[in-house]
Amino acid sequence: MAMLEDLRMHKRRRNFRRHSVPYLFVAPFVLAFGIFMVFPILYALIISFSRWQGGNLRWAGLFQYSTIFSDSLFWQGLVNSLIILVIQVPVMLILAVMFAAMLNSSRLKFKSLFQLGFFLPILIDTTAYSLTFSFILAQHGLVNQLLGLVGISPIPWLTSMFWSKVAVMIAMTWHWTGYNVVILLGGLQSIPPELYEAAKVDGAGPIRQWFSMTIPMLRPLLVLEFILSTIGTLQLFTEPYILTAGGPDNSSLTPVLYLYQVGFQQFHFGYASALAYLLAIIIAILSFFQLRFTREGSIL
Amino acid sequence: MKSSRFHLSDVWLHAIVFIGFVASIYPVYLMFVSGTQNNQQIFGMTPDLLPGHSFLVNYKDLMSNAGFNIYQSVGNSVIISAVSTILAVFLATLAGFAFAKYRFAVSKGLFQVILVAIMIPPQVTLIPLFVMISKIGLANSYWAIILPATVSIFGVFLMRQSFLSFPDELLDAGRIDGLTDFGLFLRIVLPLSKPALSSLAILTFLGSWTNLLWPLVVLNDSSSYTIPVALSTLTNTVTQPNYGMMMLAASIGTIPMLILFLLLRRNFISGIMGGYNR
């Protein structure tokens, strides 16, 4: 009898241990998640409804949010990002698909060397490459020197309201194309070669194969890259901060750069938090629509 | 069988890839070379592609006038990125394993909360985190950067996804052999999940290494600067900056990542590919 009791006890203890295991496994993450994510997210909401004065919060209701609507700087920043988004992301993704396909081609020699070259920009940290581009694109920098060789007069990349956005786009494209190439290469390599054999047997030429097999197979990855790039562009900070400081005349100001100026140069914590929340909502809406459209197949 | 036929389209293929290749590596080459040149050379009438003679001058300038010690910044960056990565990967892996292989009371709800949180961009927590970190006196410390970086929601997703296909038979076999759950995790699950682990580690490390905004906000003491923060201060000059010195600093700051890449080349490429191709 005693033995049976012992066994039962043992089993119960084991069961308890078995049941507590998943909680113990998630506990460290949940603890950090609660302290450094959930709490700040809620705290930010409170700050955004307040005025921050000398370390004290004063309830201000929707004051901060209502201020945003007449704040042309924020909207200008948003428009700047949207312009960059609409031009840079498609150009980059088209380049990435193109180069990924070429780098995957069986006819390409020195393949691994070329792939390494495309990989290199990923390893250069954003500040370092932005600094490098700040003199590549300077008035007497490399790009203008090269343009001079073919008789084009220097372009004021960093000092004109039009070209400053282009400068940011060039730097971003340089850094991120390789990253997307690598992801797409992974996708291309996971397409079974038998599929191409079969397509060839069925009489599909390379162009037909490309559009009715390769692109559809890459679609999920392209959608992912498209959404990640959109989110990344709306959160753009380092490139404009280093290259142009948002100038000239706020022509390359971005929402996050503006948020940084408001929060940490003017120390308007309440307003900066409201800006952050509005940006979060805008990003959520855009991602939602992108998912919607891409699922219905009207974009990709 | 290699075909020896000559295709015109092959020439085009190699020409276009070569242009992309040069465009990718040239700015990096320029960064290193400019570190040895002075402003006259960098902005000369014809592009100067060879190393110059100003390395020592630039180096002296960097050591005495930059306002920070570049080697200290490299050290800070290495420590912060390494510790953040280890902690973030460890927490995400444990949690991802629990979400993939156990059913427990709050698992669904918890996972949904985490799903919602991934939608919220990190800028939202910028100000509250700054207030928190300042209040507990951690500003200018390694922990100011490391602690918030331990939360990798992407990591939980990635690891959960890779554990979903982990064979249950292996776990059962381990249980029969008397391993505890943590033992199973440590001795069976982790060794067999190296690709996903290295994928997450590399993506986390790259992200931490290149992060500017948050360190810029909480690190105000030049001895605590990470490389991006240190480099960003070099643009705050009134006169024309010494670009050679700037590029030398950027080059020194880039070298650790290049070394790491050379050591782990395979893992890097398959890591980035694998992080998204799941």
Side-chain angles (χ1 to χ4, degrees):
Chain A
M1 250 359 227
M3 219 174 88
L4 205 67
E5 195 62 23
D6 252 19
L7 206 69
R8 213 174 275 151
M9 275 288 283
H10 184 71
K11 211 171 168 192
R12 201 176 305 148
R13 209 175 297 146
R14 257 194 68 161
N15 261 344
F16 171 73
R17 248 204 319 228
R18 176 65 50 83
H19 286 305
S20 63
V21 161
Y23 296 103
L24 293 177
F25 276 7
V26 291
F29 176 80
V30 169
L31 189 70
F33 177 69
I35 298 175
F36 298 110
M37 198 118 188
V38 178
F39 176 69
I41 287 172
L42 299 176
Y43 193 19
L45 194 62
I46 297 171
I47 299 176
S48 78
F49 286 120
S50 318
R51 253 184 261 245
W52 184 274
Q53 281 163 339
N56 293 312
L57 289 174
R58 275 197 203 166
W59 183 255
L62 286 170
F63 170 75
Q64 308 288 12
Y65 289 93
S66 64
T67 316
I68 300 179
F69 286 96
S70 53
D71 183 352
S72 59
L73 276 181
F74 174 76
W75 297 107
Q76 188 176 355
L78 190 65
V79 169
N80 291 340
S81 314
L82 291 176
I83 293 174
I84 293 173
L85 173 73
V86 167
I87 300 171
Q88 192 266 340
V89 173
V91 168
M92 173 185 70
L93 290 183
I94 289 170
L95 282 175
V97 176
M98 206 178 86
F99 280 118
M102 291 191 199
L103 286 171
N104 197 42
S105 162
S106 56
R107 304 195 328 254
L108 186 70
K109 306 234 163 61
F110 314 113
K111 201 184 266 186
S112 46
L113 177 71
F114 281 133
Q115 288 182 356
L116 277 186
F118 278 83
F119 198 89
L120 187 61
I122 301 171
L123 303 172
I124 313 300
D125 105 78
T126 319
T127 314
Y129 87 74
S130 299
L131 279 179
T132 310
F133 274 87
S134 77
F135 81 86
I136 289 181
L137 296 171
Q139 190 67 25
H140 303 288
L142 178 78
V143 173
N144 279 341
Q145 287 175 0
L146 289 177
L147 290 177
L149 293 182
V150 289
I152 298 172
S153 50
I155 290 171
W157 297 104
L158 303 173
T159 49
S160 117
M161 295 199 46
F162 174 78
W163 292 106
S164 63
K165 288 188 205 53
V166 182
V168 171
M169 289 187 230
I170 291 175
M172 286 168 72
T173 306
W174 178 78
H175 187 245
W176 291 105
T177 303
Y179 197 83
N180 288 296
V181 164
V182 173
I183 295 172
L184 289 172
L185 261 178
L188 285 171
Q189 284 167 5
S190 69
I191 301 178
E194 300 85 50
L195 271 182
Y196 287 101
E197 297 295 326
K200 218 183 264 171
V201 172
D202 287 345
I207 294 175
R208 182 75 199 280
Q209 284 177 24
W210 172 254
F211 281 104
S212 36
M213 275 178 43
T214 312
I215 291 288
M217 295 288 271
L218 289 180
R219 225 191 83 152
L221 276 184
L222 283 168
V223 170
L224 181 75
E225 290 184 336
F226 187 51
I227 292 175
L228 289 179
S229 306
T230 300
I231 295 173
T233 306
L234 288 173
Q235 298 177 1
L236 198 60
F237 171 74
T238 307
E239 287 90 343
Y241 179 73
I242 300 288
L243 270 176
T244 57
D249 214 1
N250 301 312
S251 60
S252 57
L253 186 74
T254 60
V256 177
L257 183 53
Y258 183 53
L259 192 155
Y260 172 76
Q261 292 171 352
V262 169
F264 297 99
Q265 285 171 352
Q266 304 158 14
F267 295 99
H268 292 308
F269 282 179
Y271 192 49
S273 296
L275 288 172
Y277 256 95
L278 187 64
L279 183 65
I281 293 168
I282 292 170
I283 290 177
I285 293 173
L286 267 179
S287 317
F288 174 77
F289 277 112
Q290 281 182 336
L291 262 179
R292 236 0 223 298
F293 280 128
T294 45
R295 231 174 240 167
E296 284 162 11
S298 48
I299 289 185
L300 285 168
Chain B
M1 279 289 135
K2 264 195 182 145
S3 96
S4 54
R5 278 183 302 160
F6 177 81
H7 282 291
L8 191 63
S9 61
D10 282 5
V11 177
W12 278 111
L13 172 74
H14 287 83
I16 296 173
V17 171
F18 186 70
I19 291 171
F21 176 75
V22 171
S24 295
I25 61 170
Y26 194 70
V28 183
Y29 173 74
L30 200 66
M31 179 176 87
F32 280 102
V33 164
S34 304
T36 66
Q37 298 177 335
N38 56 27
N39 280 355
Q40 277 78 18
Q41 250 181 315
I42 293 171
F43 296 119
M45 286 315 284
T46 50
D48 206 335
L49 308 182
L50 296 173
H53 309 289
S54 307
F55 173 75
L56 285 176
V57 179
N58 291 339
Y59 189 78
K60 246 185 165 167
D61 194 16
L62 178 61
M63 286 301 142
S64 50
N65 300 331
F68 57 82
N69 179 342
I70 184 77
Y71 296 113
Q72 195 168 31
S73 302
V74 170
N76 293 340
S77 268
V78 169
I79 293 171
I80 287 173
S81 299
V83 177
S84 308
T85 303
I86 292 168
L87 288 176
V89 170
F90 185 67
L91 296 195
T93 308
L94 269 176
F97 183 62
F99 281 123
K101 288 294 174 195
Y102 294 88
R103 263 168 225 293
F104 52 106
V106 290
S107 70
K108 266 222 175 113
L110 192 58
F111 199 67
Q112 246 135 35
V113 172
I114 294 174
L115 255 171
V116 172
I118 204 173
M119 301 277 296
I120 296 177
Q123 290 81 22
V124 168
T125 58
L126 202 61
I127 281 159
L129 273 180
F130 176 75
V131 174
M132 283 165 67
I133 294 287
S134 314
K135 268 205 178 133
I136 47 179
L138 284 180
N140 287 317
S141 75
Y142 290 157
W143 292 111
I145 317 289
I146 293 170
L147 286 176
T150 56
V151 184
S152 169
I153 299 184
F154 168 74
V156 174
F157 276 93
L158 185 74
M159 296 318 292
R160 175 180 171 268
Q161 205 60 26
S162 89
F163 289 142
L164 280 177
S165 56
F166 194 90
D168 285 323
E169 295 77 23
L170 276 178
L171 298 178
D172 291 338
R175 282 204 181 98
I176 291 166
D177 286 348
L179 281 176
T180 61
D181 285 72
F182 193 69
L184 280 176
F185 176 75
L186 225 51
R187 309 202 18 208
I188 297 185
V189 176
L190 285 190
L192 289 173
S193 306
K194 274 194 190 129
L197 279 172
S198 78
S199 208
L200 177 58
I202 282 161
L203 292 173
T204 311
F205 192 88
L206 275 171
S208 167
W209 184 263
T210 194
N211 189 11
L212 172 64
L213 182 54
W214 173 242
L216 186 66
V217 166
V218 279
L219 305 178
N220 303 307
D221 179 358
S222 67
S223 67
S224 66
Y225 284 172
T226 58
I227 293 164
V229 180
L231 293 180
S232 78
T233 61
L234 292 177
T235 57
N236 301 334
T237 46
V238 198
T239 54
Q240 196 198 20
N242 177 357
Y243 281 101
M245 179 264 256
M246 227 153 96
M247 286 302 102
L248 185 62
S251 307
I252 294 175
T254 302
I255 289 171
M257 193 50 117
L258 293 181
I259 293 174
L260 193 69
F261 175 71
L262 289 178
L263 295 175
L264 302 169
R265 212 175 81 195
R266 289 250 142 262
N267 305 52
F268 255 87
I269 297 185
S270 61
I272 291 186
M273 280 181 184
Y276 299 94
N277 286 288
R278 262 167 221 285

